[in-house]
């Protein structure tokens, strides 16, 4: 772990990331000691920092530190946390606050190969996501809704849960973005009110444009989701998981999910 570029594992107790969750983060794969899809990951980090008016470290500084960590763990999962830094007590941030950067790396989780090949079962979460337009799409440090949702089940054969918002619209998995295929059209939930817009989500949207497959960001309920021809989940750690079981939904792997899965595995895209 690196704290502001120096080896360590502690931060100041007055850091706003700890006190208020005042910060953003990204989780990404490391391959051969280098960050995968780095340009996209940094662009998201920079955008999220900008939305919260937090000073974002340069791509050069962060990539250099990631590669430094990659020497100790060439194949793993890295996490970048940027907080607003240390300030005096109170919600209002000081104009002089200097951002804190925390970079860490861990071994990648060894998921069963069947998750990617034949699909996963999903839990339908009782927790509903609240609406906050100013935070929608941002991967900020306030993830208590996800923590509560992921605490609802213990079955390791069910690796992900489905989240809806307070209006009943499907939003995402607890740690992944979601797509459904109906006919020849891909749909992904509208994230203008809540949820996190991930890098892999953007990549799937890019795939759809390049391959002439319509992809729509839409509001839809669970009742519509279970009628899909295919449902799949994406994130930057596990890639793509088809969904084989969700409430009344039962499906086998669809050829389109296989094509997208293969495309996502090529980090050049």
């Amino acid at each position: 772990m690196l704290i502001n570029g120096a080896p360590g594992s502690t931060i100041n107790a007055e850091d706003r990331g700890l006190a208020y969750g005042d910060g953003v983060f990204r989780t990404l794969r490391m391959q051969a000691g280098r960050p995968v899809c780095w340009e996209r990951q940094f662009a998201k980090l920079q955008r999220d920092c900008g939305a919260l008016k937090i000073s974002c470290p340069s791509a050069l500084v962060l990539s250099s530190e990631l590669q430094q960590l990659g020497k100790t763990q060439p194949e793993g999962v890295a996490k970048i946390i940027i907080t607003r830094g240390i300030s005096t007590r109170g919600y209002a941030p000081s104009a002089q606050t200097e951002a804190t950067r925390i970079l860490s790396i861990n071994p990648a989780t060894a998921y069963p190969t069947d998750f990617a090949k034949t699909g996963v079962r999903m839990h339908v979460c009782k927790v509903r996501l609240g609406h906050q337009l100013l935070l929608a799409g941002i991967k900020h440090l306030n993830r208590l809704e996800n923590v509560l949702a992921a605490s609802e089940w213990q079955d390791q054969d069910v690796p992900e849960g489905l989240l809806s918002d307070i209006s009943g619209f499907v939003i995402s998995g607890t740690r992944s973005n979601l797509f459904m295929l109906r006919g020849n059209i891909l749909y992904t939930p509208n994230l203008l009110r809540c949820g996190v817009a991930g890098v892999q989500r953007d990549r799937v949207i890019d795939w759809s444009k390049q391959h002439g497959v319509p992809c729509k960001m839409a509001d839809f309920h669970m009742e519509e989701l279970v009628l899909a021809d295919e449902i799949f989940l994406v994130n930057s750690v596990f890639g793509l998981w088809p969904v084989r079981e969700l409430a009344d939904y039962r499906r086998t792997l669809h050829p389109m999910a296989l094509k997208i899965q293969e495309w996502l595995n090529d980090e050049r895209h």
Side-chain angles (χ1 to χ4, degrees):
M1 183 177 290
L2 298 173
I3 312 292
N4 293 326
S9 58
T10 58
I11 63 169
N12 192 301
E14 294 181 331
D15 194 283
R16 292 180 64 88
L18 175 63
Y20 307 117
D22 190 358
V24 299
F25 72 103
R26 300 229 60 83
T27 306
L28 59 150
R29 285 191 305 114
M30 296 288 287
Q31 198 170 69
R34 303 180 71 86
V36 175
C37 295
W38 173 239
E39 289 185 2
R40 287 179 181 265
Q41 293 285 358
F42 177 73
K44 283 284 188 184
L45 182 72
Q46 192 175 46
R47 172 193 171 278
D48 289 357
C49 282
L52 297 184
K53 296 181 173 58
I54 294 174
S55 177
C56 184
S58 73
L60 182 61
V61 166
L62 293 173
S63 62
S64 175
E65 291 178 359
L66 284 172
Q67 290 178 50
Q68 182 180 337
L69 291 173
K71 292 177 181 178
T72 64
Q73 185 79 51
E75 307 291 328
V77 176
K79 188 170 186 176
I80 304 171
I81 298 174
I82 309 297
T83 80
R84 197 178 302 275
I86 302 162
S87 71
T88 56
R89 184 178 177 278
Y91 288 130
S94 167
Q96 287 74 41
T97 301
E98 184 176 347
T100 299
R101 66 183 187 277
I102 305 166
L103 280 72
S104 61
I105 191 166
N106 288 283
T109 302
Y111 295 111
T113 56
D114 284 351
F115 286 179
K117 290 183 177 179
T118 60
V120 298
R121 296 162 55 205
M122 287 191 79
H123 169 80
V124 179
C125 297
K126 297 181 178 66
V127 169
R128 296 295 183 95
L129 299 177
H131 291 171
Q132 175 47 267
L133 275 64
L134 294 177
L135 298 177
I138 299 172
K139 201 166 189 177
H140 55 77
L141 294 177
N142 289 277
R143 302 257 67 93
L144 280 178
E145 292 170 320
N146 303 68
V147 170
L148 293 173
S151 301
E152 290 184 9
W153 80 99
Q154 304 298 322
D155 188 347
Q156 293 186 355
D157 292 329
V158 181
E160 183 59 303
L162 180 73
L163 285 169
S164 297
D165 67 7
I166 54 174
S167 299
F169 293 123
V170 171
I171 297 298
S172 65
T174 63
R175 55 196 170 106
S176 59
N177 286 122
L178 177 144
F179 288 82
M180 73 170 179
L181 177 69
R182 295 190 67 175
N184 66 342
I185 301 176
L186 275 175
Y187 295 87
T188 192
N190 173 9
L191 302 181
L192 294 178
R193 295 177 292 269
C194 59
V196 175
V199 164
Q200 294 293 82
R201 179 178 185 262
D202 286 352
R203 293 180 72 205
V204 174
I205 293 170
D206 285 351
W207 177 91
S208 70
K209 293 175 181 177
Q210 291 186 25
H211 292 80
V213 176
C215 184
K216 299 182 179 180
M217 300 175 195
D219 291 328
F220 51 89
H221 293 91
M222 181 74 169
E223 294 79 8
E224 299 167 272
L225 180 64
V226 297
L227 296 176
D229 299 311
E230 175 71 2
I231 302 170
F232 61 88
L233 308 168
V234 293
N235 85 359
S236 291
V237 175
F238 63 66
L240 184 150
W241 284 345
V243 176
R244 62 178 174 84
E245 185 176 329
L246 168 66
D248 296 329
Y249 171 91
R250 303 287 188 281
R251 294 290 187 278
T252 55
L253 190 58
H254 192 280
M256 184 176 290
L258 284 172
K259 292 178 183 177
I260 298 173
Q261 190 178 67
E262 183 179 353
W263 194 85
L264 291 177
N265 287 337
D266 187 343
E267 65 171 287
R268 294 174 299 177
H269 301 306

